[in-house]
mmCIF file of all heavy atoms in Angstrom:
data_model
loop_
_atom_site.group_PDB
_atom_site.id
_atom_site.type_symbol
_atom_site.label_atom_id
_atom_site.label_comp_id
_atom_site.label_asym_id
_atom_site.label_seq_id
_atom_site.Cartn_x
_atom_site.Cartn_y
_atom_site.Cartn_z
ATOM 1 N N GLY A 1 0.809 -1.200 0.000
ATOM 2 C CA GLY A 1 0.000 0.000 0.000
ATOM 3 C C GLY A 1 0.842 1.249 0.000
ATOM 4 O O GLY A 1 2.038 1.219 -0.284
ATOM 5 N N LEU A 2 0.195 2.348 0.323
ATOM 6 C CA LEU A 2 0.821 3.664 0.361
ATOM 7 C C LEU A 2 0.973 4.112 1.806
ATOM 8 O O LEU A 2 -0.001 4.125 2.566
ATOM 9 C CB LEU A 2 -0.033 4.671 -0.416
ATOM 10 C CG LEU A 2 0.382 6.134 -0.357
ATOM 11 C CD1 LEU A 2 1.743 6.331 -1.002
ATOM 12 C CD2 LEU A 2 -0.671 7.005 -1.029
ATOM 13 N N VAL A 3 2.181 4.472 2.174
ATOM 14 C CA VAL A 3 2.453 4.962 3.522
ATOM 15 C C VAL A 3 3.374 6.165 3.446
ATOM 16 O O VAL A 3 4.075 6.375 2.450
ATOM 17 C CB VAL A 3 3.085 3.889 4.433
ATOM 18 C CG1 VAL A 3 2.142 2.711 4.622
ATOM 19 C CG2 VAL A 3 4.412 3.418 3.861
ATOM 20 N N GLN A 4 3.376 6.939 4.507
ATOM 21 C CA GLN A 4 4.294 8.062 4.606
ATOM 22 C C GLN A 4 5.649 7.602 5.114
ATOM 23 O O GLN A 4 5.780 6.561 5.770
ATOM 24 C CB GLN A 4 3.735 9.137 5.534
ATOM 25 C CG GLN A 4 2.530 9.871 4.981
ATOM 26 C CD GLN A 4 2.117 11.033 5.855
ATOM 27 O OE1 GLN A 4 2.349 11.032 7.065
ATOM 28 N NE2 GLN A 4 1.505 12.035 5.255
ATOM 29 N N SER A 5 6.647 8.379 4.800
ATOM 30 C CA SER A 5 7.982 8.100 5.297
ATOM 31 C C SER A 5 7.958 7.947 6.812
ATOM 32 O O SER A 5 7.336 8.737 7.521
ATOM 33 C CB SER A 5 8.936 9.222 4.897
ATOM 34 O OG SER A 5 10.243 8.967 5.358
ATOM 35 N N GLY A 6 8.637 6.912 7.291
ATOM 36 C CA GLY A 6 8.655 6.612 8.710
ATOM 37 C C GLY A 6 7.594 5.636 9.161
ATOM 38 O O GLY A 6 7.637 5.160 10.300
ATOM 39 N N GLY A 7 6.666 5.324 8.283
ATOM 40 C CA GLY A 7 5.599 4.406 8.613
ATOM 41 C C GLY A 7 6.015 2.957 8.501
ATOM 42 O O GLY A 7 7.166 2.632 8.198
ATOM 43 N N SER A 8 5.042 2.091 8.740
ATOM 44 C CA SER A 8 5.290 0.650 8.744
ATOM 45 C C SER A 8 4.253 -0.083 7.918
ATOM 46 O O SER A 8 3.108 0.354 7.788
ATOM 47 C CB SER A 8 5.256 0.101 10.174
ATOM 48 O OG SER A 8 6.270 0.665 10.981
ATOM 49 N N LEU A 9 4.666 -1.197 7.373
ATOM 50 C CA LEU A 9 3.786 -2.117 6.676
ATOM 51 C C LEU A 9 4.257 -3.532 6.959
ATOM 52 O O LEU A 9 5.451 -3.763 7.189
ATOM 53 C CB LEU A 9 3.794 -1.900 5.167
ATOM 54 C CG LEU A 9 3.053 -0.702 4.585
ATOM 55 C CD1 LEU A 9 3.347 -0.601 3.092
ATOM 56 C CD2 LEU A 9 1.559 -0.814 4.828
ATOM 57 N N THR A 10 3.326 -4.467 6.914
ATOM 58 C CA THR A 10 3.656 -5.877 6.995
ATOM 59 C C THR A 10 3.122 -6.579 5.766
ATOM 60 O O THR A 10 1.927 -6.509 5.471
ATOM 61 C CB THR A 10 3.066 -6.526 8.257
ATOM 62 O OG1 THR A 10 3.588 -5.875 9.421
ATOM 63 C CG2 THR A 10 3.448 -8.005 8.318
ATOM 64 N N LEU A 11 4.008 -7.233 5.049
ATOM 65 C CA LEU A 11 3.627 -8.017 3.892
ATOM 66 C C LEU A 11 3.510 -9.480 4.298
ATOM 67 O O LEU A 11 4.257 -9.960 5.150
ATOM 68 C CB LEU A 11 4.663 -7.892 2.772
ATOM 69 C CG LEU A 11 5.033 -6.485 2.321
ATOM 70 C CD1 LEU A 11 6.031 -6.558 1.170
ATOM 71 C CD2 LEU A 11 3.798 -5.699 1.920
ATOM 72 N N SER A 12 2.592 -10.171 3.680
ATOM 73 C CA SER A 12 2.465 -11.600 3.902
ATOM 74 C C SER A 12 2.374 -12.313 2.564
ATOM 75 O O SER A 12 1.946 -11.738 1.560
ATOM 76 C CB SER A 12 1.252 -11.937 4.770
ATOM 77 O OG SER A 12 0.045 -11.580 4.121
ATOM 78 N N CYS A 13 2.768 -13.559 2.577
ATOM 79 C CA CYS A 13 2.763 -14.376 1.369
ATOM 80 C C CYS A 13 2.415 -15.797 1.777
ATOM 81 O O CYS A 13 3.182 -16.438 2.501
ATOM 82 C CB CYS A 13 4.131 -14.323 0.690
ATOM 83 S SG CYS A 13 4.318 -15.408 -0.734
ATOM 84 N N SER A 14 1.285 -16.274 1.311
ATOM 85 C CA SER A 14 0.806 -17.596 1.677
ATOM 86 C C SER A 14 0.751 -18.504 0.460
ATOM 87 O O SER A 14 0.283 -18.101 -0.604
ATOM 88 C CB SER A 14 -0.580 -17.520 2.308
ATOM 89 O OG SER A 14 -0.553 -16.787 3.511
ATOM 90 N N ALA A 15 1.213 -19.721 0.636
ATOM 91 C CA ALA A 15 1.174 -20.719 -0.419
ATOM 92 C C ALA A 15 -0.119 -21.506 -0.331
ATOM 93 O O ALA A 15 -0.444 -22.071 0.713
ATOM 94 C CB ALA A 15 2.371 -21.652 -0.319
ATOM 95 N N SER A 16 -0.847 -21.538 -1.437
ATOM 96 C CA SER A 16 -2.110 -22.267 -1.452
ATOM 97 C C SER A 16 -1.919 -23.763 -1.617
ATOM 98 O O SER A 16 -2.793 -24.539 -1.249
ATOM 99 C CB SER A 16 -3.011 -21.734 -2.569
ATOM 100 O OG SER A 16 -2.404 -21.907 -3.840
ATOM 101 N N GLY A 17 -0.807 -24.174 -2.174
ATOM 102 C CA GLY A 17 -0.511 -25.576 -2.348
ATOM 103 C C GLY A 17 0.430 -26.085 -1.278
ATOM 104 O O GLY A 17 0.862 -25.340 -0.399
ATOM 105 N N SER A 18 0.735 -27.353 -1.368
ATOM 106 C CA SER A 18 1.603 -27.981 -0.387
ATOM 107 C C SER A 18 3.001 -28.180 -0.956
ATOM 108 O O SER A 18 3.193 -28.266 -2.170
ATOM 109 C CB SER A 18 1.020 -29.319 0.065
ATOM 110 O OG SER A 18 0.919 -30.225 -1.026
ATOM 111 N N PHE A 19 3.954 -28.249 -0.062
ATOM 112 C CA PHE A 19 5.344 -28.499 -0.418
ATOM 113 C C PHE A 19 5.864 -29.696 0.354
ATOM 114 O O PHE A 19 5.540 -29.867 1.537
ATOM 115 C CB PHE A 19 6.235 -27.295 -0.100
ATOM 116 C CG PHE A 19 6.080 -26.139 -1.028
ATOM 117 C CD1 PHE A 19 5.107 -25.184 -0.812
ATOM 118 C CD2 PHE A 19 6.922 -26.002 -2.119
ATOM 119 C CE1 PHE A 19 4.967 -24.109 -1.673
ATOM 120 C CE2 PHE A 19 6.798 -24.934 -2.983
ATOM 121 C CZ PHE A 19 5.818 -23.987 -2.765
ATOM 122 N N PHE A 20 6.680 -30.485 -0.307
ATOM 123 C CA PHE A 20 7.407 -31.528 0.392
ATOM 124 C C PHE A 20 8.495 -30.909 1.266
ATOM 125 O O PHE A 20 8.715 -31.339 2.402
ATOM 126 C CB PHE A 20 8.003 -32.528 -0.605
ATOM 127 C CG PHE A 20 8.878 -33.564 0.038
ATOM 128 C CD1 PHE A 20 8.325 -34.618 0.735
ATOM 129 C CD2 PHE A 20 10.258 -33.484 -0.050
ATOM 130 C CE1 PHE A 20 9.117 -35.580 1.336
ATOM 131 C CE2 PHE A 20 11.066 -34.433 0.534
ATOM 132 C CZ PHE A 20 10.488 -35.493 1.235
ATOM 133 N N SER A 21 9.171 -29.925 0.721
ATOM 134 C CA SER A 21 10.191 -29.217 1.470
ATOM 135 C C SER A 21 10.356 -27.821 0.889
ATOM 136 O O SER A 21 10.104 -27.597 -0.294
ATOM 137 C CB SER A 21 11.530 -29.955 1.445
ATOM 138 O OG SER A 21 12.052 -30.031 0.132
ATOM 139 N N ILE A 22 10.773 -26.905 1.732
ATOM 140 C CA ILE A 22 11.087 -25.549 1.319
ATOM 141 C C ILE A 22 12.486 -25.229 1.818
ATOM 142 O O ILE A 22 12.754 -25.287 3.018
ATOM 143 C CB ILE A 22 10.083 -24.528 1.869
ATOM 144 C CG1 ILE A 22 8.681 -24.823 1.343
ATOM 145 C CG2 ILE A 22 10.511 -23.108 1.502
ATOM 146 C CD1 ILE A 22 7.609 -23.933 1.936
ATOM 147 N N ASN A 23 13.366 -24.912 0.905
ATOM 148 C CA ASN A 23 14.748 -24.650 1.264
ATOM 149 C C ASN A 23 15.032 -23.180 1.552
ATOM 150 O O ASN A 23 15.967 -22.859 2.283
ATOM 151 C CB ASN A 23 15.688 -25.151 0.168
ATOM 152 C CG ASN A 23 15.728 -26.660 0.109
ATOM 153 O OD1 ASN A 23 15.780 -27.331 1.139
ATOM 154 N ND2 ASN A 23 15.711 -27.209 -1.098
ATOM 155 N N ALA A 24 14.242 -22.312 0.964
ATOM 156 C CA ALA A 24 14.447 -20.888 1.195
ATOM 157 C C ALA A 24 13.159 -20.140 0.928
ATOM 158 O O ALA A 24 12.373 -20.514 0.058
ATOM 159 C CB ALA A 24 15.561 -20.339 0.310
ATOM 160 N N MET A 25 12.960 -19.085 1.674
ATOM 161 C CA MET A 25 11.833 -18.191 1.481
ATOM 162 C C MET A 25 12.397 -16.770 1.482
ATOM 163 O O MET A 25 13.122 -16.398 2.405
ATOM 164 C CB MET A 25 10.791 -18.373 2.583
ATOM 165 C CG MET A 25 10.284 -19.810 2.695
ATOM 166 S SD MET A 25 9.253 -20.122 4.156
ATOM 167 C CE MET A 25 7.714 -19.346 3.647
ATOM 168 N N ASN A 26 12.058 -16.026 0.461
ATOM 169 C CA ASN A 26 12.708 -14.742 0.243
ATOM 170 C C ASN A 26 11.709 -13.650 -0.113
ATOM 171 O O ASN A 26 10.607 -13.914 -0.591
ATOM 172 C CB ASN A 26 13.716 -14.839 -0.915
ATOM 173 C CG ASN A 26 14.665 -16.004 -0.775
ATOM 174 O OD1 ASN A 26 15.382 -16.105 0.221
ATOM 175 N ND2 ASN A 26 14.689 -16.881 -1.771
ATOM 176 N N TRP A 27 12.145 -12.438 0.119
ATOM 177 C CA TRP A 27 11.467 -11.259 -0.397
ATOM 178 C C TRP A 27 12.411 -10.512 -1.324
ATOM 179 O O TRP A 27 13.552 -10.217 -0.952
ATOM 180 C CB TRP A 27 11.019 -10.322 0.726
ATOM 181 C CG TRP A 27 9.852 -10.821 1.506
ATOM 182 C CD1 TRP A 27 9.876 -11.448 2.710
ATOM 183 C CD2 TRP A 27 8.477 -10.722 1.119
ATOM 184 N NE1 TRP A 27 8.598 -11.748 3.112
ATOM 185 C CE2 TRP A 27 7.722 -11.317 2.157
ATOM 186 C CE3 TRP A 27 7.807 -10.197 0.010
ATOM 187 C CZ2 TRP A 27 6.330 -11.393 2.113
ATOM 188 C CZ3 TRP A 27 6.429 -10.281 -0.032
ATOM 189 C CH2 TRP A 27 5.712 -10.874 1.015
ATOM 190 N N TYR A 28 11.929 -10.243 -2.514
ATOM 191 C CA TYR A 28 12.628 -9.415 -3.483
ATOM 192 C C TYR A 28 11.833 -8.140 -3.706
ATOM 193 O O TYR A 28 10.652 -8.069 -3.400
ATOM 194 C CB TYR A 28 12.769 -10.131 -4.822
ATOM 195 C CG TYR A 28 13.765 -11.269 -4.864
ATOM 196 C CD1 TYR A 28 13.460 -12.515 -4.338
ATOM 197 C CD2 TYR A 28 15.018 -11.093 -5.460
ATOM 198 C CE1 TYR A 28 14.361 -13.559 -4.394
ATOM 199 C CE2 TYR A 28 15.922 -12.135 -5.521
ATOM 200 C CZ TYR A 28 15.591 -13.367 -4.990
ATOM 201 O OH TYR A 28 16.492 -14.404 -5.052
ATOM 202 N N ARG A 29 12.491 -7.158 -4.271
ATOM 203 C CA ARG A 29 11.778 -5.965 -4.698
ATOM 204 C C ARG A 29 12.401 -5.433 -5.974
ATOM 205 O O ARG A 29 13.570 -5.663 -6.255
ATOM 206 C CB ARG A 29 11.766 -4.884 -3.622
ATOM 207 C CG ARG A 29 13.112 -4.244 -3.335
ATOM 208 C CD ARG A 29 12.993 -3.275 -2.165
ATOM 209 N NE ARG A 29 14.256 -2.616 -1.876
ATOM 210 C CZ ARG A 29 14.468 -1.856 -0.813
ATOM 211 N NH1 ARG A 29 13.499 -1.657 0.078
ATOM 212 N NH2 ARG A 29 15.660 -1.283 -0.632
ATOM 213 N N GLN A 30 11.584 -4.727 -6.733
ATOM 214 C CA GLN A 30 12.046 -4.124 -7.964
ATOM 215 C C GLN A 30 11.467 -2.722 -8.067
ATOM 216 O O GLN A 30 10.252 -2.549 -8.182
ATOM 217 C CB GLN A 30 11.652 -4.956 -9.180
ATOM 218 C CG GLN A 30 12.257 -4.467 -10.477
ATOM 219 C CD GLN A 30 12.127 -5.480 -11.601
ATOM 220 O OE1 GLN A 30 11.322 -6.410 -11.526
ATOM 221 N NE2 GLN A 30 12.923 -5.317 -12.637
ATOM 222 N N ALA A 31 12.348 -1.761 -8.001
ATOM 223 C CA ALA A 31 11.953 -0.368 -8.156
ATOM 224 C C ALA A 31 11.965 0.008 -9.630
ATOM 225 O O ALA A 31 12.577 -0.666 -10.465
ATOM 226 C CB ALA A 31 12.888 0.542 -7.369
ATOM 227 N N ARG A 32 11.297 1.091 -9.954
ATOM 228 C CA ARG A 32 11.239 1.565 -11.329
ATOM 229 C C ARG A 32 12.634 1.771 -11.887
ATOM 230 O O ARG A 32 13.461 2.450 -11.269
ATOM 231 C CB ARG A 32 10.457 2.867 -11.410
ATOM 232 C CG ARG A 32 8.966 2.714 -11.206
ATOM 233 C CD ARG A 32 8.298 4.064 -11.157
ATOM 234 N NE ARG A 32 8.595 4.873 -12.330
ATOM 235 C CZ ARG A 32 8.337 6.166 -12.426
ATOM 236 N NH1 ARG A 32 7.779 6.810 -11.416
ATOM 237 N NH2 ARG A 32 8.636 6.818 -13.532
ATOM 238 N N GLY A 33 12.887 1.183 -13.031
ATOM 239 C CA GLY A 33 14.160 1.361 -13.700
ATOM 240 C C GLY A 33 15.328 0.627 -13.089
ATOM 241 O O GLY A 33 16.470 0.853 -13.501
ATOM 242 N N LYS A 34 15.069 -0.234 -12.121
ATOM 243 C CA LYS A 34 16.147 -0.948 -11.456
ATOM 244 C C LYS A 34 15.950 -2.452 -11.556
ATOM 245 O O LYS A 34 14.861 -2.940 -11.846
ATOM 246 C CB LYS A 34 16.240 -0.542 -9.980
ATOM 247 C CG LYS A 34 16.541 0.922 -9.744
ATOM 248 C CD LYS A 34 16.835 1.210 -8.284
ATOM 249 C CE LYS A 34 18.123 0.543 -7.845
ATOM 250 N NZ LYS A 34 18.452 0.876 -6.423
ATOM 251 N N GLN A 35 17.020 -3.172 -11.322
ATOM 252 C CA GLN A 35 16.967 -4.624 -11.305
ATOM 253 C C GLN A 35 16.300 -5.124 -10.034
ATOM 254 O O GLN A 35 16.315 -4.450 -9.000
ATOM 255 C CB GLN A 35 18.379 -5.205 -11.406
ATOM 256 C CG GLN A 35 19.098 -4.885 -12.707
ATOM 257 C CD GLN A 35 18.445 -5.553 -13.885
ATOM 258 O OE1 GLN A 35 18.246 -6.769 -13.887
ATOM 259 N NE2 GLN A 35 18.103 -4.769 -14.894
ATOM 260 N N ARG A 36 15.721 -6.296 -10.137
ATOM 261 C CA ARG A 36 15.145 -6.918 -8.962
ATOM 262 C C ARG A 36 16.261 -7.274 -7.982
ATOM 263 O O ARG A 36 17.298 -7.815 -8.373
ATOM 264 C CB ARG A 36 14.359 -8.166 -9.356
ATOM 265 C CG ARG A 36 13.570 -8.793 -8.232
ATOM 266 C CD ARG A 36 12.648 -9.888 -8.750
ATOM 267 N NE ARG A 36 11.654 -9.357 -9.687
ATOM 268 C CZ ARG A 36 10.676 -10.084 -10.209
ATOM 269 N NH1 ARG A 36 10.545 -11.369 -9.894
ATOM 270 N NH2 ARG A 36 9.825 -9.521 -11.055
ATOM 271 N N GLU A 37 16.046 -6.968 -6.721
ATOM 272 C CA GLU A 37 17.059 -7.222 -5.716
ATOM 273 C C GLU A 37 16.488 -8.032 -4.566
ATOM 274 O O GLU A 37 15.308 -7.921 -4.224
ATOM 275 C CB GLU A 37 17.639 -5.909 -5.180
ATOM 276 C CG GLU A 37 16.632 -5.039 -4.444
ATOM 277 C CD GLU A 37 17.262 -3.828 -3.779
ATOM 278 O OE1 GLU A 37 18.486 -3.840 -3.533
ATOM 279 O OE2 GLU A 37 16.527 -2.858 -3.504
ATOM 280 N N LEU A 38 17.343 -8.822 -3.974
ATOM 281 C CA LEU A 38 16.971 -9.601 -2.802
ATOM 282 C C LEU A 38 16.975 -8.693 -1.582
ATOM 283 O O LEU A 38 17.978 -8.045 -1.285
ATOM 284 C CB LEU A 38 17.939 -10.761 -2.613
ATOM 285 C CG LEU A 38 17.701 -11.679 -1.412
ATOM 286 C CD1 LEU A 38 16.354 -12.377 -1.520
ATOM 287 C CD2 LEU A 38 18.829 -12.701 -1.308
ATOM 288 N N VAL A 39 15.864 -8.658 -0.886
ATOM 289 C CA VAL A 39 15.708 -7.806 0.283
ATOM 290 C C VAL A 39 15.977 -8.566 1.571
ATOM 291 O O VAL A 39 16.688 -8.090 2.451
ATOM 292 C CB VAL A 39 14.297 -7.187 0.316
ATOM 293 C CG1 VAL A 39 14.086 -6.382 1.594
ATOM 294 C CG2 VAL A 39 14.073 -6.310 -0.907
ATOM 295 N N ALA A 40 15.377 -9.734 1.687
ATOM 296 C CA ALA A 40 15.498 -10.523 2.898
ATOM 297 C C ALA A 40 15.300 -11.987 2.562
ATOM 298 O O ALA A 40 14.576 -12.327 1.630
ATOM 299 C CB ALA A 40 14.473 -10.080 3.950
ATOM 300 N N ALA A 41 15.946 -12.838 3.321
ATOM 301 C CA ALA A 41 15.880 -14.269 3.074
ATOM 302 C C ALA A 41 15.877 -15.024 4.387
ATOM 303 O O ALA A 41 16.479 -14.589 5.368
ATOM 304 C CB ALA A 41 17.070 -14.728 2.220
ATOM 305 N N ILE A 42 15.209 -16.154 4.376
ATOM 306 C CA ILE A 42 15.244 -17.057 5.512
ATOM 307 C C ILE A 42 15.425 -18.468 4.979
ATOM 308 O O ILE A 42 14.726 -18.896 4.063
ATOM 309 C CB ILE A 42 13.982 -16.916 6.397
ATOM 310 C CG1 ILE A 42 14.088 -17.798 7.637
ATOM 311 C CG2 ILE A 42 12.714 -17.189 5.610
ATOM 312 C CD1 ILE A 42 13.048 -17.446 8.701
ATOM 313 N N SER A 43 16.382 -19.173 5.530
ATOM 314 C CA SER A 43 16.727 -20.488 5.034
ATOM 315 C C SER A 43 15.856 -21.568 5.658
ATOM 316 O O SER A 43 15.040 -21.310 6.546
ATOM 317 C CB SER A 43 18.197 -20.789 5.318
ATOM 318 O OG SER A 43 18.389 -21.067 6.697
ATOM 319 N N ARG A 44 16.070 -22.787 5.198
ATOM 320 C CA ARG A 44 15.351 -23.932 5.735
ATOM 321 C C ARG A 44 15.564 -24.063 7.237
ATOM 322 O O ARG A 44 14.653 -24.478 7.968
ATOM 323 C CB ARG A 44 15.812 -25.200 5.017
ATOM 324 C CG ARG A 44 15.220 -26.486 5.546
ATOM 325 C CD ARG A 44 15.773 -27.685 4.795
ATOM 326 N NE ARG A 44 17.222 -27.738 4.875
ATOM 327 C CZ ARG A 44 17.899 -28.259 5.898
ATOM 328 N NH1 ARG A 44 17.251 -28.771 6.936
ATOM 329 N NH2 ARG A 44 19.220 -28.267 5.876
ATOM 330 N N THR A 45 16.756 -23.706 7.686
ATOM 331 C CA THR A 45 17.092 -23.822 9.091
ATOM 332 C C THR A 45 16.775 -22.571 9.899
ATOM 333 O O THR A 45 17.047 -22.527 11.094
ATOM 334 C CB THR A 45 18.572 -24.168 9.261
ATOM 335 O OG1 THR A 45 19.377 -23.174 8.638
ATOM 336 C CG2 THR A 45 18.871 -25.528 8.633
#
């Protein structure tokens, strides 16, 4: 959504299907005119 500088947001991402295993879960972002970048990652462990 839209927030002012200094504000907060929480994003969520839910998988509708099932997985046997998940090795990594990540958040990427892509700003206008820029390459997609890895923002945060959490490993299997």
Side-chain angles (χ1 to χ4, degrees):
L2 173 64
V3 298
Q4 290 187 333
S5 181
S8 298
L9 285 173
T10 300
L11 306 182
S12 64
C13 175
S14 297
S16 61
S18 62
F19 286 86
F20 175 76
S21 64
I22 298 175
N23 290 317
M25 303 171 76
N26 310 302
W27 287 99
Y28 288 78
R29 69 185 181 189
Q30 187 166 17
R32 288 174 55 193
K34 298 189 66 177
Q35 296 293 306
R36 187 171 298 185
E37 64 173 339
L38 179 62
V39 175
I42 184 166
S43 74
R44 176 182 57 83
T45 58

